[in-house]
Amino acid sequence: MSTNPTTIRAARLLIAQLGLTPDDLLWEPTDIPTFAEYVPKVAAAAGPGAQRTYGTYWAYIVTAFGDRPLDQVDATDIQTLMRQVVDLRIVRRSDRGGHSTAEHLLAAIRTIYVHAIRDEILSPHHNPAAEIPKPRRQTS
């Protein structure tokens, strides 16, 4: 059975519009762990500096998304959590509106997704944290 060249062109166009590559079509998903299952693995792989910086934020992430699989959180969920964590921050005299808090939470969740992609738990294109722009730093 020969394939129609028009069908092949249409399939290539669709794949390109979806932002996929042929390798993505060969990727087989595995059982997706929940945040509660996976974050401790990421924390164990992190160095002491990352554990100190992101540990609090990983705890917030597990509290918010713990029972959800890694692929069941979208960019809006992450932005909502960022706003909530910024609102919960301890306001000190040197407070700058929670920019560092938002930046650290985003970096912490990006770390989780980078590990999940590297461990082939998620496809290379599944990183909702990458869709969120990093908060701009204010001038000092």
Side-chain angles (χ1 to χ4, degrees), residues 11-75:
R12 286 183 179 149
L13 179 63
L14 178 61
I15 289 169
Q17 287 178 340
L18 293 173
L20 299 173
T21 65
D23 289 339
D24 294 330
L25 300 176
L26 298 175
W27 179 78
E28 290 285 332
T30 60
D31 288 331
I32 309 291
T34 65
F35 280 88
E37 294 166 341
Y38 194 67
V39 169
K41 182 178 178 179
V42 172
Q51 289 175 352
R52 195 171 38 256
T53 302
Y54 300 142
T56 302
Y57 301 101
W58 286 330
Y60 280 124
I61 292 164
V62 169
T63 300
F65 305 138
D67 60 339
R68 293 166 70 177
L70 296 175
D71 65 342
Q72 297 300 311
V73 170
D74 59 26

Side-chain angles (χ1 to χ4, degrees), residues 70-116:
L70 296 175
D71 65 342
Q72 297 300 311
V73 170
D74 59 26
T76 303
D77 294 328
I78 296 168
Q79 276 195 301
T80 302
L81 180 61
M82 283 174 61
R83 299 275 182 246
Q84 291 169 349
V85 172
V86 166
D87 290 344
L88 292 172
R89 78 188 185 285
I90 297 171
V91 179
R92 295 186 169 88
R93 192 177 67 175
S94 61
D95 186 77
R96 305 204 40 151
H99 290 278
S100 291
T101 301
E103 186 176 342
H104 284 106
L105 180 87
L106 183 58
I109 202 156
R110 282 181 175 179
T111 301
I112 294 166
Y113 280 104
V114 165
H115 279 271

